[in-house]
Amino acid sequence: ILNVEQSPQSLHVQEGDSTNFTCSFPSSNFYALHWYRWETAKSPEALFVMTLNGDEKKKGRISATLNTKEGYSYLYIKGSQPEDSATYLCAFGRSQKVTFGTGTKLQVIP
Amino acid sequence: SAVISQKPSRDICQRGTSLTIQCQVDSQVTMMFWYRQQPGQSLTLIATANQGSEATYESGFVIDKFPISRPNLTFSTLTVSNMSPEDSSIYLCSAPGGGAGTDTQYFGPGTRLTVL
């Protein structure tokens, strides 16, 4: 059983603040690390898939980094907006054989 | 990318009854997957729905409890049988985005099930 942990479990930030959260995963037999955003009553939406140590991906105000040697990935949100409120999931593995973390629930307060 | 719809979006059911969840993909896909997220837990894969053959179940999940149908390449159903309150979860279907290996998953919006 793979252990994929996300922290914090939840956080509240003020609109305009920047924030980040962590996904920790096993550092051996790395294949890929995925980030998803899951808004209430909507489908989880893929943000990034990262495969190489040192990868950095960016999509608008959201970016992610990857360290496969130490087994962690950070997701950063710059200048948080209320529409960023969602649960952010990371998933470790390949194809459908991925192990999901429990998610970080972000609430951006206007 | 794939667009996936599910129904029902939510339901409240009585203990001992069964619920069938439908999942429709807007394109043909070889594999479809069913996940569950219990309160406070991570998304957990229940089974892979294969067209033309029986579903492949993950450890801890059995066909009698979660029968799956896959009549064609765009549709699947998951039945939650003989429900108990422990089955209260969000159930999602998904399909891979294409390519091999690092496939992104495309998910349906989920079915929020409450069992009383």
Side-chain angles (χ1 to χ4, degrees):
Chain A
I1 297 176
L2 297 175
N3 201 23
V4 180
E5 295 185 352
Q6 291 188 247
S7 63
Q9 281 192 322
S10 66
L11 74 162
H12 295 76
V13 301
Q14 290 292 134
E15 181 176 354
D17 286 351
S18 295
T19 188
N20 66 84
F21 22 93
T22 308
C23 173
S24 302
F25 52 85
S27 55
S28 58
N29 298 317
F30 179 84
Y31 195 85
L33 192 283
H34 304 253
W35 281 101
Y36 292 87
R37 174 171 60 203
W38 191 3
E39 295 179 66
T40 302
K42 294 188 178 179
S43 307
E45 172 200 359
L47 289 173
F48 306 115
V49 55
M50 308 174 78
T51 56
L52 297 175
N53 184 45
D55 251 356
E56 290 190 31
K57 297 277 177 105
K58 188 172 165 135
K59 186 176 182 178
R61 294 179 291 97
I62 303 176
S63 60
T65 60
L66 179 68
N67 184 322
T68 61
K69 293 180 191 259
E70 296 182 35
Y72 64 83
S73 175
Y74 292 138
L75 189 81
Y76 300 90
I77 302 178
K78 185 177 177 183
S80 302
Q81 299 296 307
E83 58 265 30
D84 296 328
S85 297
T87 296
Y88 291 83
L89 296 170
C90 68
F92 170 81
R94 62 181 298 174
S95 298
Q96 77 278 15
K97 295 296 183 184
V98 293
T99 300
F100 282 87
T102 52
T104 292
K105 187 170 184 177
L106 172 67
Q107 183 75 37
V108 181
I109 304 163
Chain B
S1 65
V3 177
I4 301 178
S5 59
Q6 275 183 246
K7 58 181 182 182
S9 58
R10 57 176 63 230
D11 209 341
I12 300 173
C13 300
Q14 295 297 320
R15 181 194 298 260
T17 62
S18 298
L19 175 72
T20 296
I21 302 167
Q22 298 180 10
C23 179
Q24 180 77 50
V25 187
D26 69 344
S27 57
Q28 292 186 338
V29 291
T30 307
M31 290 187 290
M32 294 173 70
F33 311 113
W34 287 98
Y35 288 86
R36 174 176 79 177
Q37 186 187 44
Q38 294 177 298
Q41 305 294 314
S42 56
L43 272 176
T44 302
L45 182 65
I46 298 170
T48 302
N50 307 301
Q51 198 272 329
S53 63
E54 280 197 2
T56 306
Y57 288 83
E58 298 300 307
S59 175
F61 298 97
V62 295
I63 188 171
D64 289 347
K65 176 67 176 177
F66 297 102
I68 286 171
S69 78
R70 183 81 199 276
N72 57 53
L73 290 174
T74 64
F75 186 79
S76 178
T77 67
L78 170 78
T79 298
V80 186
S81 302
N82 188 25
M83 288 184 283
S84 67
E86 292 71 38
D87 295 320
S88 297
S89 299
I90 300 174
Y91 292 84
L92 296 108
C93 65
S94 74
T102 59
D103 284 348
T104 293
Q105 294 289 319
Y106 292 94
F107 287 90
T111 296
R112 188 177 293 270
L113 171 63
T114 302
V115 183
L116 303 177

